[in-house]
């Protein structure tokens, strides 16, 4: 199965006692992440893949109280991922990001308004089967 869950606590404490963090510009702390499930307009062109690279700014848009919840998978597990996102958002949790291991999943999640980033894995979009060489590659990609 190519589906895992991670909760990451971000350490955004000042690096020196005299340094302060501007939580407004960093968008960390008690801020509310951007809404999810806001799909692009029908017929919208897919942005370039570079748009979906995981960046500090992307995480800062999603983080809440220094916590980001993330998972990843390939297209074969899109139903599981959508259920995961739906259950979290039903609970009011929106500080999440999904890593796409293939372009098909990235495009599908983008079209549904799910916050997604490209892992650059170029994995197969099918279920690769436990213990296969591709399964082990997925473990390394995590």
């Amino acid at each position: 199965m190519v589906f895992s869950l991670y909760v990451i606590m971000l350490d955004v404490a000042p690096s020196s006692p005299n340094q302060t963090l501007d939580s407004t510009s960093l968008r960390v702390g008690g801020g509310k992440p951007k809404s999810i499930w806001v799909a692009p307009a029908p017929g919208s062109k897919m942005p370039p893949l570079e748009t979906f690279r995981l960046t500090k700014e992307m995480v800062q848009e999603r983080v809440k109280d220094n916590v980001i919840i993330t998972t990843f998978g390939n297209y074969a597990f899109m139903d599981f991922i959508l259920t995961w996102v739906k259950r979290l958002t039903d609970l009011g949790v929106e500080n999440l990001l999904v890593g796409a291991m293939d372009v098909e999943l990235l495009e599908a999640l983008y079209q549904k308004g799910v916050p997604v980033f490209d892992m650059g894995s170029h994995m197969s979009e099918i279920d690769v089967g436990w213990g296969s060489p591709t399964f082990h590659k997925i473990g390394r990609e995590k």
Side-chain angles (χ1 to χ4, degrees), residues 59-110:
V59 172
Q60 288 171 339
E61 289 178 357
R62 304 282 354 135
V63 71
K64 181 178 180 189
D65 297 329
N66 297 333
V67 175
I68 188 86
I69 302 168
T70 186
T71 192
F72 62 90
N74 66 352
Y75 189 79
F77 292 94
M78 187 169 84
D79 289 343
F80 291 106
I81 292 168
L82 290 175
T83 300
W84 180 81
V85 172
K86 173 79 169 88
R87 297 292 183 222
L88 285 174
T89 57
D90 284 352
L91 294 169
V93 177
E94 294 191 349
N95 52 321
L96 58 93
L97 272 170
V98 177
M101 297 188 87
D102 59 65
V103 176
E104 290 78 8
L105 179 66
L106 184 122
E107 290 177 354
L109 293 178
Y110 168 75

Side-chain angles (χ1 to χ4, degrees), residues 22-41:
D22 178 356
S23 62
T24 308
S25 65
L26 286 176
R27 291 184 168 168
V28 296
K32 183 172 170 56
K34 286 184 176 179
S35 294
I36 350 193
W37 302 114
V38 179

